[in-house]
Amino acid sequence: MKKFKKFYVELTSKCNLACTFCPPTHRATNYITIEQFTHTLDEIKPHTEYIYFHVKGEPLLHPHIDQLLDIAHEKGFKVNITSNGTLLHKAGRKLLNKPALRQMNFSLHSFDGHVGSQDKNGYISKVLSFVKEAVSQSGMIVSLRLWNLDPDNATNLERSRNREMLEYIEKEFNLDYKIEEKIVPGKGIKIADRIYINMDHEFKWPDLTEEEDLSRGFCHGLRNQAGVLVDGTVIPCCLDGEGVINLGNIHKTPFSEIIESERANRIVDGFSRREVVEELCRKCGYRQRFNYKANGIASDEPQPVRSELQEATGL
C-alpha cells in the first residue's frame, strides 16, 4: 500500500488576498463540508499520518476550522497549516490548544505581495503574538517564511522590504545577530524554541502557458505527497492548484483505486526513470529544486534526505 509523507487537503478555494506571486484560481469559490472532510480523511487514513491544510485558498477563512482540527485528531492525523496570517484576529482562538495541530507556516511575504497592504508592524506584531502564545501552550512548530527573494539578484527591493520585518522579529526575540547574516536561501534557522524562519527565492506556479523545460527530471509528486482540492479532485502535488492533472474524484472513486490508476502509475514510473510524462510537470519551475548540482554538473538525481530542520521550515 502506498504511503505518503504529506497529504494536502484544500479547505477552500477562496483567499482574502490577491498576491502577485500567487495566480488566482479559475475554480468556483467553495468550502469543504464537514461530511466531505470526514470522508476524505477516512479514504486517506491508510496512506498517511500527516495532512496539510493547503493548496490554494486561505485555510483560516473556513468557518469550522476548529471542528476540522478536532475531527483530524479523532482520526489520528497530525495537521500542518499554511496561512498568510492576516485572519488570526478572527480565527486564532480556534487554533489554540488543538492537539492535532503540529505546525503552522506563516507566509510573511504575503504582506508585501498583496497590493494595498497597510501597517506592516501591526501585521507582524499580531502574527508573533499568536506564535508566542501558541508555542507556550503546546508543542507546535512554527515556520515564518519569506519566500520572495529574487533568484537573479536583479533588485534589492525584496531585501529592503524584508529588512523591516526581520528587524521587528530580531527585536521581538532579542536576537543578538542579524538574521540575514546567518540564513541561507532554502534553509531555515531556529530563532527560538520550535520557532524557525525560512527565506527562499520566489518560484513560479506551473502553468500550461509556460514554456517546457527538458523532459528529464525528478519530483516527489505521488511518491511522498498527494493532495485533494476542495471539490474532491485528487492531484499529485500541492502545486497543481487548478487540478490540471485530475486523477479522479475522492467522493466518487476510492482513493486507493485513484492512486493505482494508469495515469498515476505513469507519473511515478516516469519520475523513477527521470522522465517527466505530464505536460504541467514539464512546465513546473519548482520541480527544478529537486535537481541539484554536484561538482558543478547538473544532476537529475533527487536531493539527499532533508534534515529535520529543513523539514520544519520548508514546504
Side-chain angles (χ1 to χ4, degrees):
M1 181 176 294
K2 289 183 178 178
K3 294 283 188 177
F4 298 100
K5 190 174 183 180
K6 306 175 182 179
F7 195 95
Y8 296 88
V9 180
E10 185 182 65
L11 303 189
T12 177
S13 54
K14 183 178 181 180
C15 188
N16 63 315
L17 300 184
C19 297
T20 56
F21 56 81
C22 185
T25 180
H26 299 294
R27 294 178 287 125
T29 297
N30 203 354
Y31 292 84
I32 198 169
T33 67
I34 298 295
E35 293 75 18
Q36 291 170 335
F37 182 77
T38 301
H39 173 76
T40 296
L41 296 198
D42 287 340
E43 285 291 311
I44 67 174
K45 178 60 180 174
H47 303 277
T48 190
E49 297 176 9
Y50 296 96
I51 53 177
Y52 289 61
F53 290 173
H54 174 59
V55 179
K56 285 292 188 74
E58 168 53 49
L60 299 195
L61 276 172
H62 199 290
H64 306 301
I65 192 169
D66 49 346
Q67 291 179 249
L68 301 184
L69 285 168
D70 289 339
I71 293 170
H73 177 62
E74 291 170 5
K75 294 184 177 295
F77 289 94
K78 290 296 183 181
V79 178
N80 301 264
I81 297 178
T82 297
S83 169
N84 59 45
T86 59
L87 299 176
L88 286 172
H89 62 291
K90 294 182 177 180
R93 310 312 299 181
K94 296 181 179 181
L95 307 177
L96 294 175
N97 296 311
K98 292 297 184 182
L101 188 50
R102 170 187 176 269
Q103 179 171 327
M104 284 287 299
N105 306 314
F106 290 104
S107 300
L108 302 184
H109 48 284
S110 299
F111 184 88
D112 287 316
H114 175 73
V115 177
S117 293
Q118 298 179 347
D119 189 14
K120 182 179 290 187
N121 282 350
Y123 164 72
I124 189 62
S125 173
K126 290 177 182 177
V127 171
L128 297 185
S129 177
F130 169 83
V131 166
K132 289 184 173 182
E133 182 176 6
V135 169
S136 70
Q137 296 179 8
S138 69
M140 188 174 76
I141 299 168
V142 173
S143 174
L144 304 172
R145 296 175 171 178
L146 286 167
W147 287 8
N148 59 357
L149 300 181
D150 180 2
D152 300 319
N153 292 319
T155 173
N156 290 319
L157 177 59
E158 288 78 14
R159 288 189 180 276
S160 63
R161 287 175 172 175
N162 290 346
R163 174 103 299 275
E164 300 174 48
M165 205 167 283
L166 292 175
E167 287 177 349
Y168 194 100
I169 294 171
E170 290 160 0
K171 181 179 179 181
E172 191 70 19
F173 288 95
N174 299 311
L175 302 182
D176 58 0
Y177 57 86
K178 296 291 186 182
I179 292 173
E180 285 177 300
E181 295 175 357
K182 288 183 172 290
I183 203 163
V184 175
K187 296 183 180 180
I189 61 172
K190 183 177 181 179
I191 60 174
D193 184 32
R194 285 175 282 115
I195 302 175
Y196 301 83
I197 187 161
N198 179 272
M199 298 178 71
D200 208 341
H201 299 112
E202 182 178 329
F203 69 90
K204 284 187 177 182
W205 286 73
D207 192 292
L208 291 178
T209 62
E210 295 291 328
E211 291 186 11
E212 290 189 12
D213 61 12
L214 296 176
S215 60
R216 289 188 58 76
F218 181 84
C219 181
H220 293 288
L222 289 182
R223 189 175 300 271
N224 71 8
Q225 66 168 280
V228 60
L229 300 179
V230 67
D231 66 352
T233 299
V234 175
I235 52 177
C237 76
C238 64
L239 293 179
D240 187 5
E242 294 301 295
V244 173
I245 307 176
N246 184 342
L247 299 175
N249 193 292
I250 204 168
H251 302 307
K252 299 177 181 179
T253 306
F255 180 70
S256 58
E257 292 183 17
I258 291 175
I259 57 170
E260 292 295 348
S261 67
E262 180 181 354
R263 188 176 189 182
N265 283 323
R266 276 195 290 107
I267 293 172
V268 176
D269 293 342
F271 282 131
S272 295
R273 301 188 304 270
R274 307 303 183 254
E275 294 178 6
V276 187
V277 301
E278 290 283 346
E279 180 184 1
L280 186 69
C281 299
R282 294 195 295 270
K283 298 180 176 182
C284 177
Y286 197 85
R287 179 176 56 79
Q288 298 302 321
R289 299 189 181 198
F290 297 122
N291 303 326
Y292 67 100
K293 291 185 177 182
N295 300 320
I297 301 175
S299 170
D300 285 331
E301 292 298 317
Q303 290 181 352
V305 176
R306 305 177 78 190
S307 68
E308 181 179 351
L309 176 59
Q310 287 174 299
E311 287 295 341
T313 57
L315 180 63

